[in-house]
Amino acid sequence: RVYVVLVILVLIFLTCLGTHCIYGGNGAEEPYPIKGRYSQFTLLTMTYDARLWNLKMFVEHYSKCASVREIVVIWNKGRPPVQNELKSAVPVRVRVEDKNTLNNRFNMDEKIKTRAVMELDDDIMMPCDDLERGFKVWREHPDRIVGYYPRLAEGTPLEYRNERYARQQGGYNMVLTGAAFMDHGLAFERYWSKKAEVGRKMVDSFFNCEDVLLNFLFANASSMSTVEYVKPAWAIDMSKFSGVAISRNTQAHYHVRSKCLAKFSEVYGNLTAKRLFSSRGDGWDV
């Protein structure tokens, strides 16, 4: 009985803590300055009508993060939400797209007022402090993709491998753009360049791999590392509770991504060399 009571108390505590982090505060005491200066970024998320419940929670939580200037909702399908459906501490703009494609994630958008954007899937919940740390790392490396989910592509032909495998091998050479900072002018221009046309057609064909393509385009433009990893304190994938994620069949998802890797490597060359974990010195990439 004592054991059961303790378990219940722990569950109540964790529930209250999670609820507070998501609804009751921004999770970050202060943003991180660089040389005494602060900045802001635009938060972009891509979604559609079946995920509206995710979006409401997403906007309410992340609008409280100190460095978020605006939230742009990339609306791919269905009836878009009206303004009063989304409770936010910062301006929210719903950008309704003409076509349901993953390429919309990187559409050029002249209304974005910041150099930095963070692409973040609407089903990922993490503390604001994790966003602030990632933003600081991006400000130190603005020519790179700074993300929270590292992946490793290696072998002949290239095979798409998860974070656990990357850690076993000691490094990574991609980060997922479902949770990543980037210079939107640089990244979106590369994505919509003529040479990326073949890749964009593959993204539409598989309804997958837009993040893999962007990693290749960055690697193709530099001989140095083009990705940085930041380990989140915690992150919850809300798609596990909804059943609307496109990657819920992990084996099939990884198989498609390996096919993308093979094709992209033919067209764009290889990815940059493996970047080691714990190589940056700030302790955030362990």
Side-chain angles (χ1 to χ4, degrees):
R1 289 179 179 178
V2 173
Y3 175 76
V4 171
V5 170
L6 287 173
V7 169
I8 292 173
L9 288 174
V10 169
L11 289 174
I12 292 173
F13 170 77
L14 292 175
T15 301
C16 291
L17 180 63
T19 302
H20 171 76
C21 286
I22 294 174
Y23 289 111
N26 66 7
E29 295 294 329
E30 294 284 346
Y32 294 87
I34 294 181
K35 297 180 180 179
R37 301 182 66 180
Y38 297 91
S39 187
Q40 289 184 304
F41 63 89
T42 300
L43 187 62
L44 276 67
T45 189
M46 188 166 64
T47 190
Y48 61 102
D49 53 357
R51 299 164 70 104
L52 183 58
W53 72 280
N54 267 350
L55 181 65
K56 290 178 178 179
M57 183 164 54
F58 176 99
V59 169
E60 184 171 358
H61 170 55
Y62 289 115
S63 71
K64 299 172 184 175
C65 298
S67 296
V68 174
R69 176 168 177 167
E70 180 188 27
I71 297 175
V72 177
V73 178
I74 304 165
W75 194 262
N76 261 8
K77 186 176 69 172
R79 183 190 69 83
V82 295
Q83 203 67 31
N84 61 11
E85 285 186 87
L86 303 174
K87 184 179 178 182
S88 176
V90 301
V92 177
R93 177 163 57 93
V94 179
R95 194 181 80 204
V96 180
E97 302 291 352
D98 296 327
K99 179 183 177 182
N100 182 17
T101 167
L102 295 179
N103 290 319
N104 289 337
R105 184 189 293 276
F106 306 118
N107 272 348
M108 305 292 286
D109 188 339
E110 294 180 354
K111 293 182 180 180
I112 293 175
K113 300 178 179 68
T114 60
R115 178 183 177 187
V117 298
M118 184 189 186
E119 297 273 4
L120 184 60
D121 287 349
D122 66 332
D123 49 18
I124 295 177
M125 300 299 294
M126 63 176 71
C128 286
D129 187 58
D130 284 336
L131 271 65
E132 298 293 346
R133 291 189 295 115
F135 186 37
K136 179 179 184 293
V137 174
W138 177 84
R139 290 176 70 197
E140 294 167 340
H141 306 281
D143 58 335
R144 301 180 185 181
I145 305 173
V146 177
Y148 301 82
Y149 293 93
R151 295 292 185 265
L152 181 63
E154 66 173 10
T156 305
L158 286 175
E159 187 173 353
Y160 181 83
R161 309 303 291 264
N162 62 16
E163 181 176 346
R164 172 187 275 185
Y165 180 86
R167 290 190 175 280
Q168 291 172 349
Q169 302 304 311
Y172 60 99
N173 54 10
M174 292 195 302
V175 291
L176 301 188
T177 60
F181 286 93
M182 63 196 71
D183 177 334
H184 78 94
L186 181 66
F188 297 179
E189 184 177 328
R190 286 176 178 172
Y191 196 85
W192 288 98
S193 64
K194 180 66 176 177
K195 72 176 181 180
E197 185 175 0
V198 172
R200 294 195 304 271
K201 288 180 179 178
M202 282 197 65
V203 170
D204 278 337
S205 174
F206 288 120
F207 206 77
N208 204 324
C209 301
E210 81 285 1
D211 50 353
V212 178
L213 174 58
L214 189 68
N215 274 269
F216 267 95
L217 295 173
F218 266 72
N220 190 245
S222 175
S223 59
M224 301 178 66
S225 177
T226 56
V227 291
E228 293 286 343
Y229 164 63
V230 177
K231 183 178 181 180
W234 57 263
I236 302 173
D237 182 355
M238 302 299 290
S239 69
K240 305 296 184 186
F241 311 109
S242 67
V244 293
I246 66 169
S247 57
R248 59 184 179 270
N249 185 336
T250 303
Q251 186 173 357
H253 178 64
Y254 278 38
H255 177 68
V256 169
R257 289 181 156 242
S258 291
K259 290 175 70 173
C260 290
L261 285 171
K263 181 62 176 178
F264 292 163
S265 62
E266 288 178 12
V267 178
Y268 305 113
N270 212 337
L271 290 163
T272 51
K274 182 168 64 179
R275 181 154 179 75
L276 301 179
F277 290 103
S278 302
S279 62
R280 205 169 45 241
D282 55 23
W284 295 345
D285 60 342
V286 295

